[in-house]
Amino acid sequence: MIFLTSGSKRQRAKITWQLRVDGKGPVTRLVTGGAFDGLVDDSASDTRYTGWGSAVTVTAPSADQVIDEDDVDYSTKPQTPLNSVIERPAGS
């Protein structure tokens, strides 16, 4: 995978992943990680899925909690928090 950075320098990315399922087939865990030419090293995301088959009720938000897409200002750069870095034990 190749990413372009703000300085127009191409950066190579090595993406790793591991998908686990239980004995019945549903996904129970997804672990992803990556290294981006020294920019980020050993970053990881560990997502666990539980409660498959549980009853779920989804309720639409009230009108004062939604916005029309035409009213969204796409000219600003989004601000997102940095992902947490999980340190792996030596030898893992």
Side-chain angles (χ1 to χ4, degrees), residues 9-25:
K9 181 180 176 186
R10 294 171 62 143
Q11 300 286 324
R12 279 225 179 259
K14 179 181 178 185
I15 306 296
T16 59
W17 59 274
Q18 182 181 76
L19 186 66
R20 294 184 185 180
V21 296
D22 67 12
K24 298 176 185 173

Side-chain angles (χ1 to χ4, degrees), residues 43-83:
S43 64
S45 175
D46 187 346
T47 307
R48 295 169 193 245
Y49 302 93
T50 61
W52 291 108
S54 301
V56 176
T57 301
V58 178
T59 305
S62 61
D64 65 335
Q65 295 181 338
V66 297
I67 186 171
D68 289 330
E69 185 176 6
D70 293 340
D71 296 330
V72 176
D73 180 5
Y74 287 107
S75 66
T76 61
K77 185 174 182 178
Q79 299 290 320
T80 58
L82 296 174
N83 288 334

